[in-house]
Amino acid sequence: MATMQFPLFPLVAALIACPLAVTAQVAADPAVAPVVALDAGLIAIMKAGARAGSSARSAQIGPVVDRSFDIPLMTRLAVGPAWTGFAPADQAALVTAFRRLTVSTYARNFDGYSGQSFTIASKVEARAGDRLVRTTLNDPSDAPVAIAYRLRQGPDGWRIIDVFYRSISQLTTRRSDFASILQQGGAKALTAHLDAMAAKGAG
């Protein structure tokens, strides 16, 4: 069995550090730890706020993304069958660009705090060897937002491989968006597209 990347003490620290409701039974499932860490990281950059700037928020949430997500696998799944035909250098460039986009998206979208909190559902669902962890983003001034995470166990433990925002798979959306770019310009065109999207989000 793979070694857990999130031991108990950091998990408890994350629970204390951010407004997050999670039962002891759910917290005991190792697949929940990456989600707890991500939620804590998002609350932290929200509290840093707009005054910290997008670059500072990106630097803060970047290591959390690295620990919580399997970015290489997500990139491969988003690209689809064309991935195997790319040179290793092009694959590495795509992974780097996909990570940059993921980090900048979180830094852009979570830029202010006004009492928000996360709640993790009381049941972790099994999905063909993967796990599905359902959460809710609670906002005192707005309707709650359902966010679910699909996680897969790999050499570094459980990692997020897909995010469902209001039940829509972000990986499926990315794959659809990438298809025409790949068809027209291949890996280098997609890398340029991802870099442009990340730069726009970092403004």
Side-chain angles (χ1 to χ4, degrees), residues 25-201:
Q25 181 179 1
V26 171
D29 190 316
V32 175
V35 177
V36 171
L38 177 62
D39 287 349
L42 295 177
I43 292 292
I45 62 171
M46 290 168 74
K47 288 183 174 179
R51 286 183 297 179
S54 181
S55 294
R57 292 195 305 276
S58 292
Q60 187 173 353
I61 198 64
V64 179
V65 168
D66 293 336
R67 293 192 302 269
S68 297
F69 289 84
D70 189 338
I71 294 293
L73 177 57
M74 292 179 72
T75 308
R76 179 169 64 82
L77 293 174
V79 168
W83 177 265
T84 57
F86 296 157
D90 287 333
Q91 292 177 344
L94 280 168
V95 170
T96 298
F98 194 92
R99 176 195 181 273
R100 188 180 298 118
L101 175 59
T102 302
V103 169
S104 69
T105 299
Y106 278 123
R108 179 181 71 247
N109 292 338
F110 292 82
D111 62 350
Y113 181 76
S114 55
Q116 289 87 349
S117 64
F118 287 96
T119 303
I120 293 182
S122 59
K123 181 181 179 181
V124 176
E125 302 174 28
R127 291 288 179 91
D130 294 343
R131 296 286 187 273
L132 190 72
V133 178
R134 298 185 184 275
T135 72
T136 302
L137 172 59
N138 308 296
D139 190 329
S141 61
D142 206 347
V145 178
I147 306 173
Y149 300 92
R150 186 164 187 152
L151 298 99
R152 183 167 297 173
Q153 190 173 33
D156 297 318
W158 289 94
R159 297 289 181 91
I160 297 166
I161 65 165
D162 197 4
V163 181
F164 297 83
Y165 180 74
R166 300 187 191 274
S167 300
I168 299 174
S169 165
Q170 298 303 292
L171 202 58
T172 300
T173 301
R174 295 289 193 204
R175 189 182 298 118
S176 176
D177 292 343
F178 294 171
S180 61
I181 299 170
L182 287 168
Q183 186 174 14
Q184 295 173 17
K188 288 180 173 56
L190 180 56
T191 298
H193 174 72
L194 295 177
D195 283 340
M197 290 176 64
K200 183 177 180 181

